[in-house]
Amino acid sequence: MELKNLYAEFESEDLAELAAGRLRRTVKGIRQASVHRVGMALDSHTDRQQYTILPANMRMMNYATAVMVSEISDDIHPEPYYRRTAQLLAICDADAADHAAAVLHAAGAFHVRRS
């Protein structure tokens, strides 16, 4: 019996997990359905510093200030870098590949490929 691989991409990991569950429930001939996260590359914050200027003494009436230097934490990243797409790999029988691809499209997949 010939097996086919189906690759599909989803906007989020949750959508990919829901599609994998739907494949297992509705398509006969599914051998395996696994989900893999695809994250965006995060740039490192090395050699960057954040400067904060604060008054040295609030009771003094002059403009004496101290500069406090603190490093940027590695866990601070812009929100778009937290967004992750997910890839679903499904292995199924050759006669179930068309039905499985239709279920993936209906579940919101894009770039569905067969091999």
Side-chain angles (χ1 to χ4, degrees):
M1 180 168 287
E2 185 180 358
L3 297 177
K4 293 282 187 180
N5 293 334
L6 293 174
Y7 300 95
E9 294 182 26
F10 290 87
E11 290 182 5
S12 70
E13 188 178 3
D14 294 336
L15 288 175
E17 289 288 344
L18 289 171
R22 184 181 291 177
L23 273 178
R24 291 184 194 108
R25 285 190 311 272
T26 61
V27 180
K28 294 180 181 177
I30 295 291
R31 304 294 176 108
Q32 178 184 357
S34 58
V35 175
H36 306 283
R37 285 186 292 180
V38 180
M40 298 174 71
L42 297 175
D43 61 340
S44 127
H45 288 294
T46 57
D47 298 333
R48 295 185 186 179
Q49 292 179 341
Q50 178 180 3
Y51 297 97
T52 306
I53 300 175
L54 298 173
N57 189 345
M58 295 300 287
R59 294 183 185 183
M60 294 175 65
M61 294 309 239
N62 62 9
Y63 296 101
T65 58
V67 178
M68 300 182 69
V69 179
S70 62
E71 293 182 6
I72 295 176
S73 175
D74 287 336
D75 60 346
I76 298 173
H77 297 291
E79 183 203 354
Y81 289 110
Y82 287 118
R83 296 182 184 155
R84 294 185 174 170
T85 60
Q87 241 182 13
L88 184 137
L89 166 64
I91 301 172
C92 64
D93 297 335
D95 56 348
D98 290 335
H99 185 208
V103 169
L104 289 175
H105 280 294
F110 54 94
H111 300 298
V112 177
R113 300 178 307 276
R114 298 177 198 176
S115 63

